[in-house]
Amino acid sequence: MNKKLLRLTFILTCILTVAFVIEPNLAKVSAGHLVVFNRIGPSGDIHQGDVVIFGGTIYNNESLATYILTYLKVEVLEVNKTGQFVDIRPFEDFSFDSLPNRNTVAPHESRTFAFQHIIGDEWPVKDNYTVSLKLYYRDIKDVGDEQVVDYELQIGETKTVNVKVKREDAPKYIYGVFVILLLAILAFIIIGLVGWIRERRAKQ
């Protein structure tokens, strides 16, 4: 067996190893019905009274199946006195029924969605909430079948959110104070210029 034949045999062996060993492992990692990116959601400091938006962009990774989006769950967890995480559920699940023309994702189709909510007293002022977005969907063939459980997919990473007290709006009279202050500064400059001009003329 010459060197060329040995080299060809070695290359084919490597290709077969990749095809039958490595590729299935990659498939297990990348497999999924839907891929979600461009997550929209709060993180860091937010204030009661703020409008927050939840959403993202969905891509159907399947070649044949069409999926229907059912609802988006915003899971808000806090640590209780026993050190366990408790979901405080500050708002109801966001139903895709309110987006009737955008709740289906055909094969290799992208779909962007967003829901908004005003933060109220139902989300108490506190630091270090753990917030995650979970999307629920099913194959369009299973619509109406109560025995079929929706698929669950987390959107993006879990975020830490701090809820602060409501922002205090500036009082309306503050604008009047600014106007009066500007007029006073302008008057002071004019008086100074007039006095300086008179003094120059007197010296002449």
Side-chain angles (χ1 to χ4, degrees):
M1 188 178 290
N2 57 31
K3 292 183 179 179
K4 289 185 179 180
L5 188 58
L6 283 173
R7 190 177 300 167
L8 180 61
T9 304
F10 176 75
I11 291 173
L12 287 174
T13 302
C14 292
I15 293 173
L16 290 173
T17 302
V18 171
F20 290 101
V21 178
I22 299 177
E23 186 173 298
N25 292 331
L26 291 175
K28 290 178 184 177
V29 174
S30 61
H33 304 135
L34 298 181
V35 178
V36 184
F37 51 96
N38 293 340
R39 165 192 158 125
I40 304 171
S43 62
D45 293 346
I46 59 175
H47 295 75
Q48 288 187 339
D50 286 355
V51 176
V52 292
I53 299 176
F54 304 95
T57 300
I58 298 172
Y59 174 74
N60 188 347
N61 202 30
E62 294 283 348
S63 301
L64 300 175
T66 296
Y67 294 100
I68 184 164
L69 311 177
T70 53
Y71 62 95
L72 175 72
K73 177 182 179 182
V74 182
E75 193 173 68
V76 180
L77 304 177
E78 66 172 347
V79 180
N80 62 13
K81 295 179 180 179
T82 62
Q84 296 179 334
F85 283 100
V86 179
D87 189 356
I88 66 170
R89 298 304 301 271
F91 18 70
E92 297 295 327
D93 299 331
F94 296 96
S95 173
F96 282 90
D97 290 340
S98 60
L99 304 174
N101 297 323
R102 302 190 60 79
N103 63 349
T104 57
V105 190
H108 304 303
E109 181 182 46
S110 294
R111 186 75 73 193
T112 300
F113 68 94
F115 298 97
Q116 69 177 28
H117 188 87
I118 299 176
I119 301 301
D121 296 336
E122 72 280 357
W123 197 344
V125 174
K126 189 177 179 181
D127 289 342
N128 297 324
Y129 284 105
T130 300
V131 179
S132 61
L133 308 183
K134 293 185 177 179
L135 177 70
Y136 292 84
Y137 63 98
R138 61 172 53 198
D139 194 310
I140 199 168
K141 297 176 182 177
D142 298 326
V143 173
D145 190 342
E146 297 180 357
Q147 295 181 349
V148 176
V149 179
D150 288 347
Y151 296 110
E152 178 187 290
L153 175 65
Q154 180 165 323
I155 303 176
E157 299 177 353
T158 299
K159 300 291 185 179
T160 299
V161 174
N162 308 312
V163 179
K164 305 297 184 181
V165 295
K166 186 176 181 180
R167 301 175 193 267
E168 293 293 336
D169 295 331
K172 294 181 180 180
Y173 65 81
I174 197 70
Y175 302 107
V177 172
F178 282 136
V179 172
I180 294 173
L181 183 61
L182 288 173
L183 291 175
I185 294 172
L186 185 61
F188 179 78
I189 294 173
I190 293 174
I191 292 172
L193 285 174
V194 170
W196 179 76
I197 293 172
R198 286 181 177 177
E199 185 179 346
R200 294 274 298 179
R201 287 180 177 178
K203 290 182 178 180
Q204 292 177 358

